């Protein structure tokens, strides 16, 4: 049924009989549901009114409940019997499906389908919302743990004839990266005739490895290519030993000396 509204300037009397939607749509000069003018009276047709009015031909499905889950849809089980596990994960045994549903209702728990294809299907009594919450929390905790364990790789590039100051800067950067839990990839590039000084470059990389000390463990190295590389990973045991020393220095109870590095080649 369409509701009919008229403006106050309308000179015709109110309709004695309600005008139906089919009546309006049968008129070729009317364009429903837009407004139109008839005998200087403006008539507006609209959907409206209270109640559970539904347009014919509306095929939209009702909104699905957010709690709906295939694992809780007991209608999926065609067998008359199920193998039941209680909320403490103890095996109850084979019972009728109706009995399992009744037990879940009595305990105010959900009947979770563990294995629908088993013979008979396996179901379990549980608080499903609590179970899902715990599973999501475990997943988040695992992602955080993986993120904490994941190492970033920092690259440090040097020439075979690097000066003392630049060498010291790179060495301190490598030590800082390793203490932060990151890998360090050392790269020494040889261009053109610099390949004649390959032995000098190898000695430089070996000295750098020695100056880093126990903070790192050598993961891999490649001295064959023109871009020679060495990958160092943090030595967690050595880094944990240094942590108390750093705390003592910050409180002023410890003493320390800074090592000066020589980079003469």
């Amino acid at each position: 049924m369409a509701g009919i509204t008229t403006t106050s300037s309308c000179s015709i009397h109110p309709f004695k009989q309600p005008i139906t939607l089919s009546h309006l749509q049968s008129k070729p000069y009317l364009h429903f549901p837009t407004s139109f003018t008839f005998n200087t009276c403006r008539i507006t047709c609209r959907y409206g009114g209270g109640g559970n009015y539904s347009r014919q031909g509306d095929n939209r499905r009702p909104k699905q409940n957010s709690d709906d889950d295939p694992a809780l849809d007991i209608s999926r089980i065609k067998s008359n019997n199920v193998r039941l596990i209680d909320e403490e994960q103890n095996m109850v045994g084979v019972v009728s499906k109706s009995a399992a549903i009744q037990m879940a209702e009595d305990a105010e728990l959900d009947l979770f389908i563990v294995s629908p294809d088993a013979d008979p299907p396996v179901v379990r009594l549980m608080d499903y919302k609590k179970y899902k919450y715990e599973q999501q929390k475990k997943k988040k905790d695992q992602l955080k743990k993986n993120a904490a364990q994941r190492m970033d790789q920092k690259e440090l590039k040097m020439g075979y004839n690097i000066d003392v100051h630049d060498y010291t800067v790179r060495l301190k950067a490598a030590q800082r990266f390793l203490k932060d839990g990151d890998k360090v990839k050392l790269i020494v590039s040889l261009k053109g005739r610099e390949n004649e000084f390959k032995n000098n470059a190898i000695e430089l990389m070996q000295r750098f490895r020695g100056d880093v000390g126990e903070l790192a463990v050598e993961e891999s190295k490649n001295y064959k290519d023109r871009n020679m590389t060495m990958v160092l990973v943090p030595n967690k045991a050595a880094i944990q030993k240094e942590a108390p020393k750093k705390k003592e220095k910050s409180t002023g109870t410890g003493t320390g000396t800074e090592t000066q590095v020589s980079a003469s080649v």
Side-chain angles (χ1 to χ4, degrees):
M1 182 69 68
I4 306 299
T5 61
T6 62
T7 63
S8 60
S9 62
C10 181
S11 59
I12 67 174
H13 296 290
F15 297 104
K16 294 181 180 179
Q17 301 252 341
I19 297 178
T20 63
L21 176 61
S22 60
H23 176 72
L24 289 172
Q25 288 178 326
S26 66
K27 305 299 182 181
Y29 49 83
L30 299 181
H31 301 282
F32 182 80
T34 57
S35 301
F36 61 90
T37 303
F38 183 73
N39 290 336
T40 70
C41 177
R42 187 172 182 80
I43 301 176
T44 303
C45 304
R46 57 179 174 80
Y47 290 115
N52 296 324
Y53 175 74
S54 174
R55 282 179 285 180
Q56 187 174 2
D58 190 351
N59 295 323
R60 290 178 296 177
R61 295 183 179 180
K63 200 171 186 179
Q64 189 175 10
N65 193 331
S66 59
D67 292 336
D68 290 347
D69 194 300
L72 299 178
D73 186 6
I74 202 68
S75 64
R76 296 167 57 206
I77 296 179
K78 305 304 180 184
S79 173
N80 293 326
N81 296 323
V82 294
R83 191 177 302 278
L84 181 64
I85 302 172
D86 67 11
E87 63 271 27
E88 302 296 332
Q89 299 192 30
N90 298 318
M91 181 62 69
V92 176
V94 178
V95 299
S96 66
K97 184 169 71 171
S98 58
I101 295 172
Q102 188 61 49
M103 290 174 68
E105 291 178 354
D106 293 343
E108 296 184 350
L109 295 171
D110 301 303
L111 195 60
F112 176 74
I113 303 173
V114 179
S115 180
D117 299 325
D119 186 21
V122 181
V123 297
R124 176 183 164 191
L125 297 173
M126 66 162 62
D127 184 340
Y128 189 58
K129 286 185 178 179
K130 181 179 178 182
Y131 169 78
K132 284 188 72 174
Y133 171 78
E134 291 175 348
Q135 292 299 311
Q136 290 172 355
K137 186 178 179 183
K138 285 181 182 178
K139 187 176 180 180
K140 287 181 181 179
D141 292 342
Q142 186 62 41
L143 289 174
K144 287 181 180 179
K145 186 177 179 181
N146 293 341
Q149 292 178 346
R150 186 173 59 246
M151 295 183 186
D152 292 330
Q153 181 169 282
K154 309 293 185 180
E155 289 189 356
L156 295 174
K157 296 182 179 180
M158 297 191 298
Y160 77 95
N161 56 349
I162 188 172
D163 61 32
V164 176
H165 176 266
D166 290 344
Y167 178 90
T168 305
V169 169
R170 284 162 177 74
L171 178 61
K172 288 182 178 180
Q175 292 170 336
R176 184 174 69 255
F177 294 148
L178 291 166
K179 289 176 182 178
D180 289 342
D182 298 325
K183 289 184 180 183
V184 173
K185 183 176 183 179
L186 181 65
I187 303 173
V188 178
S189 299
L190 299 174
K191 302 177 182 179
R193 293 184 179 181
E194 290 180 351
N195 198 43
E196 298 175 5
F197 302 96
K198 191 170 186 176
N199 291 335
N200 299 54
I202 293 173
E203 290 177 6
L204 174 67
M205 297 181 76
Q206 291 175 342
R207 182 153 49 85
F208 189 90
R209 168 69 187 89
D211 290 338
V212 168
E214 296 181 353
L215 288 177
V217 177
E218 187 177 302
E219 183 182 69
S220 64
K221 60 183 177 183
N222 178 20
Y223 294 159
K224 295 181 180 180
D225 301 329
R226 284 182 175 271
N227 291 328
M228 295 185 291
T229 61
M230 177 185 292
V231 178
L232 304 175
V233 297
N235 183 354
K236 294 182 179 180
I239 292 173
Q240 288 174 355
K241 286 181 181 178
E242 286 214 354
K245 294 180 182 179
K246 187 179 289 188
K247 188 175 180 181
E248 288 178 3
K249 289 179 182 179
S250 63
T251 56
T253 56
T255 59
T257 57
E258 185 177 347
T259 304
Q260 196 67 26
V261 182
S262 173
S264 58
V265 178

